[in-house]
């Protein structure tokens, strides 16, 4: 289908075999935190956002809920 899939990771490891997949890499040193990329991703109205492995320290600092599935319709 014509759905956009966005992945957000600190290290690009996920491989999404989809023609409309966009991979975003977080890098705190350059100012691209997982939280900032997630806000940006939500503006692009993807069907799916997949956040790769996030260390618990980063999750606590960023305030990112874990084990939550958000479906965008």
């Amino acid at each position: 289908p014509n759905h956009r899939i966005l992945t957000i990771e600190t290290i690009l490891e996920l491989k999404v075999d989809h023609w409309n997949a966009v991979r975003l890499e977080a890098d705190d040193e350059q100012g691209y935190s997982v939280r900032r990329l997630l806000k940006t991703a939500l503006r692009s109205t993807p069907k799916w956002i997949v956040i790769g492995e996030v260390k618990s320290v980063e999750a606590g600092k960023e305030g990112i809920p874990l084990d939550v599935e958000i479906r965008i319709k």
Side-chain angles (χ1 to χ4, degrees):
N2 295 325
H3 303 304
R4 175 177 289 163
I5 301 171
L6 270 154
T7 63
I8 301 172
E9 303 173 87
T10 52
I11 298 173
L12 295 177
E13 296 176 327
L14 297 175
K15 306 238 184 307
V16 179
D17 186 20
H18 190 274
W19 70 274
N20 200 6
V22 177
R23 299 171 75 191
L24 301 174
E25 184 174 13
D27 186 348
D28 286 329
E29 292 178 9
Q30 293 185 4
Y32 296 102
S33 66
V34 172
R35 181 185 196 128
R36 179 176 176 187
L37 293 177
L38 180 58
K39 284 182 179 181
T40 301
L42 289 169
R43 289 187 192 113
S44 68
T45 62
K47 180 69 175 180
W48 293 96
I49 297 175
V50 179
I51 299 177
E53 180 180 338
V54 178
K55 297 178 184 173
S56 60
V57 173
E58 294 168 347
K61 183 176 112 182
E62 297 292 339
I64 298 170
L66 301 177
D67 299 327
V68 174
E69 180 178 325
I70 300 171
R71 291 184 181 227
I72 302 169
K73 298 191 182 214

